[in-house]
Amino acid sequence: MFRLFVFTFSLMAATAAWGQTTYDPKIAYTQLSGKTTYVYVANADGTGAWRLVPGVNGVSGVDFAPGGGRIAFSDSQGLKVVTYTAGNTGIQVNGVQLLVNLVNGRPGPPDFSPDGTRIIYQTSSNTSPNTIRAVTVPGGVEVLSYPCYLCSEPRWLRSELGDAFAFRRWDFSGPSLIPEIWTALVEQDGTVTAGLVLSAANQAFGGIEDFDVARTRDALLVTANYPTAVRFVEFDMGADFGAITDKGGSGYRGHYSADDARIIYREQVKGGYFINSLDPATGVSKRLTAKGNYGFIDARP
């Protein structure tokens, strides 16, 4: 089901000023240079940036495995997992697995399950509706196939909520498309039961750009127009189901750190982007990278 490419290399990021002697990657991101995309990891403060793989094409998504040591990403060949070891002298890449090729359509952004044993992602093609799929790691065996229309970027929910995931979806039943986030529960017999979580039709959202799952509580971090300006807001899925908390900030693709104390996000500026860290408690943001053409980002759970 998968092929294993084993090679060993260490490619230091071009920005040598970020280098240091201790490596504990807490953020991952993609950076486009010309037509080539590179996958990087870096320390929580942006230092020690390290290029994990040689340049690839068409990268869609990047995701840490729980505890680190593995990064999943999708590119023009399929869904891949790179395994690495962090040490005092840098990052040692141990190999790259092609878990899923393009037989079922091109994989979208991947997401590791809370226990690190499965990856969920969405595929699309010109001849069939979108399908949310999940495969085992490292085997690449498909364990979930859930057809859906106009859905994308599924993410596993915390294990406390059961074997469940959430995904973005567009409601096209009315005169205009309405962005939504749905949850779905995988039953013991493998069937999937889906239910509406939130919708721009009945919440104070003008749009939903992205979302992430909180690490320490049952909540979603939503990047949305709230009500008209882009903000990071938390949607409670626990005892206060439906409660919304404004986390502040202004940017895109917000992701919580492992303790939910920081939000890693992408800031768009003239001529490029920065990757920033927001402290919701103080409202203070810090730039972690130099300006560049950054795409997908993630924070280590």
Side-chain angles (χ1 to χ4, degrees), residues 152-237:
S152 64
E153 300 197 25
R155 292 189 173 90
W156 295 107
L157 299 177
R158 296 180 73 225
S159 56
E160 287 81 356
L161 292 175
D163 192 12
F165 60 92
F167 57 93
R168 288 196 303 167
R169 179 184 181 274
W170 291 92
D171 179 2
F172 55 94
S173 61
S176 60
L177 293 176
I178 298 175
E180 300 175 333
I181 297 177
W182 285 60
T183 59
L185 177 67
V186 183
E187 307 287 356
Q188 290 186 349
D189 63 359
T191 60
V192 176
T193 303
L196 179 65
V197 175
L198 60 89
S199 170
N202 53 36
Q203 301 286 345
F205 298 131
I208 298 173
E209 187 264 345
D210 196 18
F211 77 98
D212 187 32
V213 179
R215 322 293 193 189
T216 65
R217 51 188 178 269
D218 296 330
L220 301 178
L221 178 69
V222 183
T223 306
N225 290 333
Y226 184 75
T228 57
V230 177
R231 307 282 285 180
F232 301 117
V233 295
E234 187 173 282
F235 182 87
D236 190 276
M237 298 183 64

Side-chain angles (χ1 to χ4, degrees), residues 1-2 99-100 117-119 134-144:
M1 187 71 182
F2 66 88
L99 279 183
V100 180
T117 64
R118 294 171 296 169
I119 291 176
V135 294
T136 59
V137 184
V141 177
E142 186 171 284
V143 293
L144 173 68

Side-chain angles (χ1 to χ4, degrees), residues 73-80 98-102 107:
F73 65 94
S74 300
D75 65 13
S76 59
Q77 293 181 325
L79 173 63
K80 297 178 179 178
L98 177 61
L99 279 183
V100 180
N101 58 28
L102 304 181

Side-chain angles (χ1 to χ4, degrees), residues 272-289:
Y273 302 89
F274 291 98
I275 295 176
N276 295 352
S277 175
L278 167 68
D279 181 350
T282 64
V284 176
S285 286
K286 177 183 178 182
R287 286 176 173 169
L288 303 181
T289 65

